[in-house]
Amino acid sequence: MNGLALALVLMAAVAHAGWNFLTKKASGGLPFIWLFAGLASLIYAPVAVGVMVTQRPELGWKNLALIALTAILHSVYFTLLEMGYRLGDLSVVYPVARGTGPLISAVVGITLLGERPSMLATLGIILMAVGIAAVTGDPRSLRSREAKQAVLIALLCGMTIASYTVLDKISVSRFGTPPLILDWGTNTGRFLLLIPFVYRQWDKVKEQWRLHKREAAGVAVLSPLAYILVLTAMTFTPVSYVAPAREISILIGAMAGARLLKEGNIKARFAGTTAMVVGLIALSLG
């Protein structure tokens, strides 16, 4: 992975951990997801128009079909993630969800897309996987029913992440969809898809806007920014490198949960993050 790709991924990691912290803080269900999807679509619309005018990308039916499909997958992802946050800790749900996705993505990149990471990069992926396991903390903390449900939802969320990561990699690298257009289309699609579901919860929508409009605005800015940076890196870097490397956000999110939300297990998370940093260095040098 070259320096530019690494810089993009690291910036994306900070933005990603930031919007997950805000989402956990709000815990507003589908109304909150719908609000920040609509805000994101509105905020990034001028930039999307600028990309269309300046780059004039050729968007055929395949590009549009992939955007529609990834909008569905992202809707499932955000719904699962928010549900997991309502049941469990940020420092447990976030690492499990984010750790499952890139490992599956890397395997798919290697087995189906023909990518061949070096031995050093492979070692980095393994070290990051070990670090992710350590970051989740003491397994005894998962004994409660809610904690188990949260982990199960996080695992499902990780599978969704793997699905849309590979799909979006194909969209931007093989079919030439501009990353910003892909993400803007995804947000707009999610906003439209969720209308029938939030229509019946309009009182909750108004409540979320009153209580958490700042969090919604923060997620609306940071979530697209994080993914646009990742998609840009994937246009010239194998997904088996980008997907695991972006999970440096796990250490940021886990430490934020442990410190800011007082979720504990700092020692285990520090050991895990150390392994992940070493893995990231190996991956970037590979």
Side-chain angles (χ1 to χ4, degrees), residues 30 33-34 37-38 67-77 79 185-199:
L30 283 179
I33 296 172
W34 184 74
I67 290 174
L69 185 55
T70 198
I72 295 172
L73 289 174
H74 275 260
S75 298
V76 174
Y77 160 65
T79 302
T186 298
N187 279 303
T188 303
R190 182 167 66 253
F191 175 77
L192 296 174
L193 285 169
L194 293 180
I195 288 177
F197 299 98
V198 299
Y199 179 76

Side-chain angles (χ1 to χ4, degrees), residues 32 85 98 106 146 176 179 189 251 253 258 269 281:
F32 182 76
Y85 284 154
R98 299 309 309 176
E146 283 193 350
L251 72 88
R269 284 166 176 75
I281 294 172

Side-chain angles (χ1 to χ4, degrees), residues 218-229:
V219 176
V221 172
L222 293 176
S223 178
L225 176 62
Y227 202 50
I228 289 166
L229 291 170

Side-chain angles (χ1 to χ4, degrees), residues 31-102:
F32 182 76
I33 296 172
W34 184 74
L35 282 172
F36 75 68
L39 285 173
S41 179
L42 183 64
I43 291 169
Y44 283 88
V47 189
V49 171
V51 170
M52 292 295 294
V53 171
T54 58
Q55 296 185 15
R56 298 184 180 276
E58 296 182 5
L59 300 178
W61 70 267
K62 291 182 180 179
N63 302 84
L64 298 178
L66 287 170
I67 290 174
L69 185 55
T70 198
I72 295 172
L73 289 174
H74 275 260
S75 298
V76 174
Y77 160 65
F78 277 107
T79 302
L80 289 172
L81 186 67
E82 199 282 331
M83 189 184 302
Y85 284 154
R86 279 185 280 135
L87 293 172
D89 290 341
L90 172 69
S91 52
V92 172
V93 175
Y94 190 38
V96 173
R98 299 309 309 176
T100 305

Side-chain angles (χ1 to χ4, degrees), residues 4-5 8 172 179-180 227-237 242:
L4 176 58
L8 291 172
V172 299
L180 193 140
Y227 202 50
I228 289 166
L229 291 170
V230 168
L231 290 174
T232 301
M234 284 199 295
T235 59
F236 58 90
T237 307
V242 173

Side-chain angles (χ1 to χ4, degrees), residues 156-188:
L156 293 173
C157 190
M159 295 173 66
T160 308
I161 293 169
S163 299
Y164 75 64
T165 298
V166 174
L167 188 70
D168 292 348
K169 162 66 176 179
I170 294 171
S171 183
V172 299
S173 63
R174 293 192 180 180
F175 293 98
T177 307
L180 193 140
I181 297 300
L182 174 59
D183 191 77
W184 181 79
T186 298
N187 279 303
T188 303

Side-chain angles (χ1 to χ4, degrees), residues 17 90-92 94-95 135-136 248-261 263-266 269-270 273 276:
L90 172 69
S91 52
V92 172
Y94 190 38
V135 163
T136 59
I248 199 72
S249 64
I250 290 175
L251 72 88
I252 303 171
M255 296 309 289
R259 290 286 187 181
L260 301 179
L261 300 178
E263 293 175 353
N265 293 323
I266 295 178
R269 284 166 176 75
F270 180 76
T273 54
M276 292 175 65

